[in-house]
Amino acid sequence: MTFSKILIANRGEIACRVIRTARHLGYRTVAVFSDADRDAPHVALADEAVHIGASPAAESYLRIDAVLEAARKTGADAVHPGYGFLSENAGFAQACVDAGLVFIGPPASAITAMGDKALAKRRMLEAGVPCAPGYLGADQNDAALMAEAQKLGYPLLVKAVAGGGGRGMRLVRSDAELQPGIEGARREATSAFGDGTLMLERLIDNGRHIEIQVFADAHGNAVYLGERDCTAQRRRQKVIEEAPSPVVTPALREAMGKDAVAAALAVGYQGAGTVEFIVDDQMHHYFLEMNTRLQVEHPVTEMITGYDLVEWQLRVAAGEPLPAQQSDITLTGHAIEARLYVEDPYTGFAPQTGTVLWWQPQNALTTTGSTLGWQGSSLPYGVRIDDGIAQDSVISPFYDPMVAKVIAYGRDRDDAIRRLRGALASTPLLGLKNNGRFLSDLVDHPAFRQARMTTTLIDRWLEQGEALLQAAIPTDAVWQVAALALSMRGLEQWHGHNWRANSVAAFDMRLQCGEVVRAIRVRPDHHAGVELTLDGVNTQATVLSFADGTLRYAVDGVTRTAIVVQDGNNVHLAMDANSFVVSEVSAFPNADARKDPSKARSPVAGKVTQVAVEPGATVQPGQQLVCVEAMKMEMWLCAESAGVVQAVHAQAGQQVESGALLVELELSPA
């Protein structure tokens, strides 16, 4: 099963990750891309690239025919599916084999056996692996599902039997939530995986999500490489992953590991796979599912074992035996991965689209993770960043909002947490709202540090208004730096002169950050810098240099640095692990700029999936109007005031821009 050129049937950071290891081993690589990804980093990184369709995944990355044609055109003789998209599609795996290509993943039969979560649970029950109670039946009509839900009781999960990554999953805690949960899960599953079949599963409340990394070869060998703790989740999607788990004992690790290996061997598995378990507060583990692919969080396992799992995949696919027996595998140190999402954690994790104005991961990078030894090596403690973006990349609404992973490796858990927080502070992403600060705060939260997280805790915090989910308030220093930057607007380099209105002794600025507006007086002094007056307090500031987005300045004798990027009338800045957008506003605000509750506008660029009202309908505050899907997440636009629908400017299936007017209301008298 030799091969020399690998087509990566994916995009973003995982495509870049696979390309780097493939190149290290001497393989040539082929990237595929959609309209939206023409200028994406993975396209430039590969030796060759082929356009395979329009921006929506269904018209590009999910097109088996287009991927196979790209392999034919370039002479690729192997395909790596990455994760997501077609990675767990048995039909794709078999189509690759039928086309004479080496599929770098498990056999189609193993994907089929484990890809259908209901069938997989039946197999596990037959094998004696503990499973949570649930409904795995073929009867998929709503009445049958609702009847089975009544038997199981609440809380429960409505889950798609296909796919993964939290897609097509709804948490239901009452009868009132059941019907919308079934409809939403089925709709999302059909959109993401082309299969709306559902199963029900009794929720293990206050559980921890622990998964076992397994690997098998074509010679009957299988091992497990420790566990990963993926308990920190929001809306059933992982945010932080770490290895080893802070709560797993050696005995539990061995028990779960043996169950995971048995599961892999039972289906003739080959390659990388992950068996996921939920662990209750009594430390009993229950099988959830098996992901028949490489996981997003595989770097933390690489860090604590010293093995490059992508290299393992390539070597196993080439017919080589596993390089290690179970007794050879040891776990050293602690690794934590933070998923950097372009979403706003302070507005319900709403996904964002736009242009990356600043992204310089090399500022924190200390290890690459792409040249790990096949026989294992002792990695230096440090930071690794896997990303799929670059400065000036455009983030579209068509794909997952995760754009990078920041991984820290330390001697122990506290060491890893400290390094991770330092890395997040050193690598701000400016231009789009993101969860960077939230990630830093999360790993420093007592619930995380004391290993008290559960899979639903972040969601409860969101409902309760936990301080962790409140946006940071800009300090006086932020306003001062913004004033300095806006005063020098348009300057590529700072030479100690050219302040705005040199002939004017002083000028006033009105600055806005979020909903807060503050006035600051700027008095240039070309010998000593500038005097800034904020709320009657004078501060002497001196700009030392301003180049390539880095502002070095001194305030009251202390020299500091901030990342500052100007974008029209806005300045994006990062200071002390926080990022802010500050703009200069008119002293006479435009009344039209204020939010108008009579006009419901799309919060993001995306696709309209449902329209719940029509002209003439009476609506109440909080009533759902239109559902918009962006980055695989559904968001409902709700009425902010009571009124009557005057016009609807959207229909299901329509692509809309952020801020697009979707519904107009005539408001009821107060």
Side-chain angles (χ1 to χ4, degrees):
M1 292 185 291
T2 59
F3 50 90
S4 60
K5 184 185 289 189
I6 303 169
L7 182 145
I8 296 88
N10 218 293
R11 65 177 299 280
E13 63 87 16
I14 186 56
C16 294
R17 165 75 184 89
V18 173
I19 290 169
R20 291 190 177 99
T21 285
R23 176 171 295 162
H24 173 64
L25 293 178
Y27 293 107
R28 291 184 62 77
T29 57
V30 178
V32 292
F33 63 93
S34 68
D35 287 348
D37 281 339
R38 286 185 182 277
D39 300 318
H42 77 278
V43 177
L45 191 61
D47 296 304
E48 300 173 71
V50 180
H51 175 253
I52 57 171
S55 298
E59 300 174 36
S60 50
Y61 297 107
L62 291 174
R63 285 185 56 199
I64 295 176
D65 61 331
V67 173
L68 295 181
E69 175 61 14
R72 187 197 65 77
K73 288 171 63 175
T74 58
D77 46 7
V79 173
H80 192 300
Y83 49 70
F85 294 136
L86 296 169
S87 63
E88 293 181 284
N89 185 311
F92 176 59
Q94 189 59 51
C96 288
V97 174
D98 293 344
L101 304 170
V102 174
F103 182 73
I104 303 174
S109 58
I111 296 176
T112 298
M114 286 299 193
D116 184 311
K117 293 174 176 54
L119 290 175
K121 287 192 72 173
R122 292 193 191 100
R123 283 180 175 268
M124 294 302 100
L125 289 168
E126 293 170 359
V129 178
C131 297
Y135 172 69
L136 313 174
D139 192 342
Q140 288 289 301
N141 69 66
D142 289 2
L145 291 172
M146 295 175 76
E148 293 297 333
Q150 294 294 328
K151 295 177 185 177
L152 287 170
Y154 302 109
L156 59 80
L157 293 173
V158 180
K159 299 172 66 174
V161 300
R167 311 300 179 197
M169 186 185 301
R170 294 292 187 275
L171 171 61
V172 175
R173 293 188 177 275
S174 67
D175 287 340
E177 297 177 2
L178 183 57
Q179 183 70 37
I182 291 172
E183 293 175 355
R186 181 181 288 129
R187 183 173 56 252
E188 191 171 274
T190 301
S191 173
F193 316 121
D195 184 350
T197 308
L198 303 176
M199 58 182 279
L200 305 177
E201 184 175 87
R202 187 76 161 84
L203 179 70
I204 305 298
D205 238 343
N206 300 318
R208 293 190 73 93
H209 183 121
I210 311 293
E211 61 188 32
I212 302 292
Q213 175 70 61
V214 295
F215 236 100
D217 61 24
H219 306 281
N221 304 307
V223 297
Y224 65 92
L225 292 92
E227 81 284 355
R228 296 185 287 258
D229 194 317
C230 308
T231 302
Q233 302 180 12
R234 55 105 178 97
R235 293 175 179 155
R236 318 305 298 181
Q237 292 195 339
K238 301 165 188 174
V239 177
I240 298 285
E241 301 102 345
E242 59 181 315
S245 168
V247 302
V248 170
T249 63
L252 180 58
R253 178 176 300 122
E254 182 178 6
M256 296 173 70
K258 288 181 176 179
D259 279 344
V261 167
L265 291 175
V267 296
Y269 202 81
Q270 293 176 31
T274 296
V275 181
E276 300 190 344
F277 296 94
I278 192 76
V279 177
D280 66 16
D281 52 10
Q282 301 301 308
M283 301 308 290
H284 299 133
H285 66 283
Y286 302 91
F287 173 83
L288 286 178
E289 63 189 47
M290 183 176 187
N291 294 129
T292 54
R293 54 172 167 79
L294 195 68
Q295 291 280 84
V296 174
E297 57 271 21
H298 75 274
V300 295
T301 298
E302 293 182 324
M303 294 299 232
I304 66 169
T305 63
Y307 293 115
D308 181 335
L309 298 190
V310 174
E311 183 173 351
W312 279 42
Q313 285 187 296
L314 302 187
R315 293 191 180 272
V316 166
E320 296 183 28
L322 292 178
Q325 299 179 7
Q326 191 63 59
S327 59
D328 299 325
I329 297 170
T330 58
L331 311 181
T332 304
H334 200 96
I336 305 177
E337 173 181 288
R339 298 190 184 194
L340 188 65
Y341 289 102
V342 283
E343 61 184 17
D344 186 359
Y346 311 115
T347 58
F349 297 98
Q352 309 292 305
T353 58
T355 301
V356 176
L357 299 179
W358 175 271
W359 176 244
Q360 298 290 336
Q362 66 273 16
N363 291 348
L365 192 64
T366 56
T367 65
T368 66
S370 61
T371 57
L372 306 182
W374 169 241
Q375 295 297 330
S377 61
S378 178
L379 276 173
Y381 300 112
V383 172
R384 160 181 165 182
I385 296 178
D386 288 7
D387 63 0
I389 57 170
Q391 205 156 288
D392 298 324
S393 288
V394 176
I395 308 301
S396 75
F398 300 104
Y399 314 116
D400 192 275
M402 191 190 78
V403 294
K405 303 179 303 196
V406 181
I407 309 106
Y409 177 51
R411 291 176 175 81
D412 54 32
R413 192 166 185 258
D414 286 342
D415 192 23
I417 290 174
R418 184 176 61 256
R419 292 174 188 270
L420 179 61
R421 299 192 77 219
L424 289 166
S426 300
T427 55
L429 188 158
L430 298 181
L432 298 92
K433 292 180 180 179
N434 60 83
N435 67 338
R437 177 62 197 224
F438 166 73
L439 294 170
S440 180
D441 290 344
L442 176 59
V443 296
D444 195 41
H445 193 282
F448 185 87
R449 283 193 173 270
Q450 298 166 18
R452 293 187 286 104
M453 296 296 296
T454 68
T455 56
T456 58
L457 184 57
I458 294 177
D459 295 330
R460 292 207 302 273
W461 283 345
L462 187 61
E463 295 172 359
Q464 297 165 359
E466 172 78 11
L468 183 77
L469 288 162
Q470 306 302 312
I473 298 174
T475 63
D476 286 354
V478 171
W479 297 105
Q480 292 164 351
V481 169
L484 286 173
L486 286 167
S487 297
M488 299 181 291
R489 191 181 333 176
L491 297 183
E492 293 297 326
Q493 301 287 331
W494 167 247
H495 302 292
H497 55 79
N498 289 336
W499 285 90
R500 178 197 302 186
N502 283 338
S503 61
V504 178
F507 55 90
D508 294 318
M509 304 179 73
R510 285 174 57 84
L511 304 182
Q512 181 169 0
C513 183
E515 300 298 319
V516 181
V517 177
R518 296 186 70 178
I520 189 166
R521 189 167 185 79
V522 181
R523 183 184 302 276
D525 181 336
H526 300 295
H527 298 289
V530 61
E531 183 181 77
L532 304 173
T533 303
L534 186 64
D535 294 339
V537 177
N538 296 329
T539 300
Q540 195 69 30
T542 303
V543 174
L544 304 177
S545 64
F546 186 23
D548 300 324
T550 301
L551 175 67
R552 291 188 68 249
Y553 64 101
V555 173
D556 295 334
V558 179
T559 299
R560 296 186 173 91
T561 301
I563 303 301
V564 178
V565 181
Q566 299 177 20
D567 181 30
N569 200 41
N570 297 326
V571 59
H572 298 250
L573 57 92
M575 297 175 58
D576 302 326
N578 275 309
S579 60
F580 302 93
V581 181
V582 181
S583 59
E584 185 174 6
V585 297
S586 167
F588 305 99
N590 184 349
D592 293 337
R594 292 194 292 265
K595 193 166 186 179
D596 183 352
S598 71
K599 293 179 172 56
R601 300 180 181 275
S602 179
V604 295
K607 182 175 74 173
V608 175
T609 59
Q610 292 184 80
V611 178
V613 294
E614 57 186 22
T618 300
V619 298
Q620 300 301 320
Q623 184 171 334
Q624 294 176 334
L625 304 176
V626 178
C627 184
V628 179
E629 179 186 304
M631 296 178 170
K632 303 180 183 179
M633 175 180 172
E634 288 190 340
M635 288 157 286
W636 276 99
L637 188 62
C638 299
E640 296 188 9
S641 301
V644 176
V645 176
Q646 293 297 296
V648 176
H649 303 289
Q651 59 185 5
Q654 177 184 354
Q655 288 288 147
V656 296
E657 296 297 323
S658 177
L661 178 61
L662 303 184
V663 178
E664 292 185 80
L665 304 175
E666 180 181 340
L667 302 183
S668 300

